[in-house]
Amino acid sequence: MGNNNSTFKRKNKKIVLDKNETMDLEVGKDLKYYLPNNYEDIDRIHMFHFFQRYIYQGNFSSPIEERLMQEKCKVLDIGCGSGTWLLDLANKYEKSLFHGLDNNSIFPNEIKPSNLNFMKADMFDGLPFPDNEFDFVHQGTMAVTKPGGFVEIHEPYCISKGFGPILNKINEAHISSCLQRGVDMKLLPNLDKIIKSNPNTPITYKDEKFYILGPNGGKIGMVNQDIFIGFHDNDVAMENLSPVLGISKEEYKIMMTKDLIEELKYTSPEYSLIRFWAKKIN
């Protein structure tokens, strides 16, 4: 997350997925977050968390719940944002210890469970933890996961099925904008194959749920419509996407708040949430 003026500078480094696997980072790329750090948008992040929990009927797919309940597990959430996922789990699994890390401190510093700790840090500078430290790593890396522990990644993904022309333009602009920032969104459906290529996670699982965006998806579709428009109807998203779309900021505002809403009344665009999880063997 970030405020209207914030940028996230990528450094000329490698991220270590495991000791035998690294990922090159591009040099000199400024990553601007689409979401400002005001209370309304933080509430929207909370809403998206509970939306995902409803879709999956749970906060994770990895088979680690029994250990969370009975053991003193250590859990790490990388890029924890406002900390909603961790707050939810820390309250439920009181015997386990939870850690959240993010570049922006929009997480609570005082009013939180005693078994939850947040840290402001930039993962691109390297994680401030030793290897083989955590039993469960959310949105993270193999290196700090213990052998026998689990890594889980979840992402929303648009299938481009049932899209109207306006939503299709917004989706293509988003994909193009992400590519400019060094992120290929089209790799997401095959992320399990990338994880599986690591010798420490030869068996990777994929858990995918589908839903319709907009009024034709019922109540859950309308909730997600509010989230989707909220994520895109802000100054940072407008600044990033309007040039890619080749329209003015005023035209972008109308597209998001009027034209798209009207289009969604007559279309049934299909989206999915995807969770990938794997157990580290070594």
Side-chain angles (χ1 to χ4, degrees), residues 159-219:
I159 303 169
S160 298
K161 181 180 178 181
F163 278 38
I166 295 171
L167 183 59
N168 191 59
K169 286 179 182 178
I170 294 168
N171 179 52
E172 290 299 322
H174 177 66
I175 292 172
S176 178
S177 177
C178 287
L179 275 175
Q180 292 173 13
R181 297 178 293 136
V183 179
D184 188 353
M185 299 298 291
K186 293 184 178 180
L187 290 176
L188 289 178
N190 299 312
L191 194 56
D192 53 334
K193 296 177 182 177
I194 298 173
I195 300 171
K196 193 182 296 185
S197 67
N198 189 308
N200 285 324
T201 51
I203 302 175
T204 304
Y205 299 88
K206 180 177 180 179
D207 190 359
E208 188 168 12
K209 304 293 185 183
F210 300 90
Y211 60 93
I212 301 297
L213 175 67
N216 293 316
K219 290 182 179 179

Side-chain angles (χ1 to χ4, degrees), residues 3-234:
N3 57 38
N4 286 349
N5 299 313
S6 68
T7 59
F8 183 19
K9 191 76 169 180
R10 275 193 168 181
K11 301 171 177 66
N12 187 17
K13 293 188 175 182
K14 293 178 181 289
I15 296 180
V16 178
L17 301 175
D18 193 31
K19 289 187 175 180
N20 300 316
E21 185 177 353
T22 60
M23 180 185 298
D24 287 315
L25 297 181
E26 297 184 13
V27 181
K29 290 275 188 177
D30 283 337
L31 301 186
K32 288 193 176 182
Y33 294 107
Y34 284 179
L35 194 61
N37 284 348
N38 58 52
Y39 291 115
E40 180 181 348
D41 288 300
I42 291 174
D43 284 345
R44 195 169 284 113
I45 299 170
H46 296 325
M47 188 188 302
F48 186 61
H49 163 76
F50 292 112
F51 168 78
Q52 292 183 92
R53 192 181 73 177
Y54 175 81
I55 291 289
Y56 277 100
Q57 294 297 293
N59 282 316
F60 50 85
S61 296
S62 300
I64 197 171
E65 183 165 34
E66 187 174 343
R67 288 167 61 180
L68 289 171
M69 294 179 69
Q70 297 179 0
E71 303 176 19
K72 206 169 187 179
C73 284
K74 293 186 72 174
V75 180
L76 173 64
D77 187 14
I78 300 175
C80 65
S82 59
T84 317
W85 186 82
L86 287 168
L87 288 163
D88 208 0
L89 268 65
N91 278 299
K92 183 175 182 180
Y93 305 108
E94 297 179 356
K95 293 183 180 180
S96 291
L97 302 175
F98 297 86
H99 299 264
L101 182 147
D102 202 283
N103 189 47
N104 288 280
S105 53
I106 61 172
F107 41 74
N109 288 308
E110 297 180 3
I111 304 176
K112 59 183 178 64
S114 59
N115 61 336
L116 173 55
N117 178 60
F118 290 108
M119 178 184 299
K120 182 178 180 181
D122 187 341
M123 67 169 287
F124 290 108
D125 287 329
L127 295 176
F129 305 105
D131 289 353
N132 305 317
E133 178 76 6
F134 293 94
D135 300 280
F136 186 27
V137 178
H138 186 242
Q139 302 295 87
T141 167
M142 305 296 174
V144 296
T145 308
K146 294 178 181 178
F150 292 90
V151 174
E152 182 164 315
I153 298 171
H154 72 257
E155 296 290 344
Y157 182 72
C158 60
I159 303 169
S160 298
K161 181 180 178 181
F163 278 38
I166 295 171
L167 183 59
N168 191 59
K169 286 179 182 178
I170 294 168
N171 179 52
E172 290 299 322
H174 177 66
I175 292 172
S176 178
S177 177
C178 287
L179 275 175
Q180 292 173 13
R181 297 178 293 136
V183 179
D184 188 353
M185 299 298 291
K186 293 184 178 180
L187 290 176
L188 289 178
N190 299 312
L191 194 56
D192 53 334
K193 296 177 182 177
I194 298 173
I195 300 171
K196 193 182 296 185
S197 67
N198 189 308
N200 285 324
T201 51
I203 302 175
T204 304
Y205 299 88
K206 180 177 180 179
D207 190 359
E208 188 168 12
K209 304 293 185 183
F210 300 90
Y211 60 93
I212 301 297
L213 175 67
N216 293 316
K219 290 182 179 179
I220 200 68
M222 287 302 296
V223 168
N224 196 251
Q225 175 179 303
D226 289 343
I227 296 169
F228 181 91
I229 291 175
F231 279 164
H232 290 83
D233 182 25
N234 62 71

Side-chain angles (χ1 to χ4, degrees), residues 210-262:
F210 300 90
Y211 60 93
I212 301 297
L213 175 67
N216 293 316
K219 290 182 179 179
I220 200 68
M222 287 302 296
V223 168
N224 196 251
Q225 175 179 303
D226 289 343
I227 296 169
F228 181 91
I229 291 175
F231 279 164
H232 290 83
D233 182 25
N234 62 71
D235 291 340
V236 180
M238 188 183 305
E239 181 183 334
N240 279 270
L241 296 180
S242 57
V244 181
L245 287 162
I247 58 177
S248 68
K249 292 180 180 180
E250 291 76 15
E251 290 171 321
Y252 176 88
K253 183 80 173 178
I254 294 170
M255 173 185 283
M256 287 305 310
T257 59
K258 293 183 180 180
D259 298 342
L260 177 60
I261 291 174
E262 186 65 23

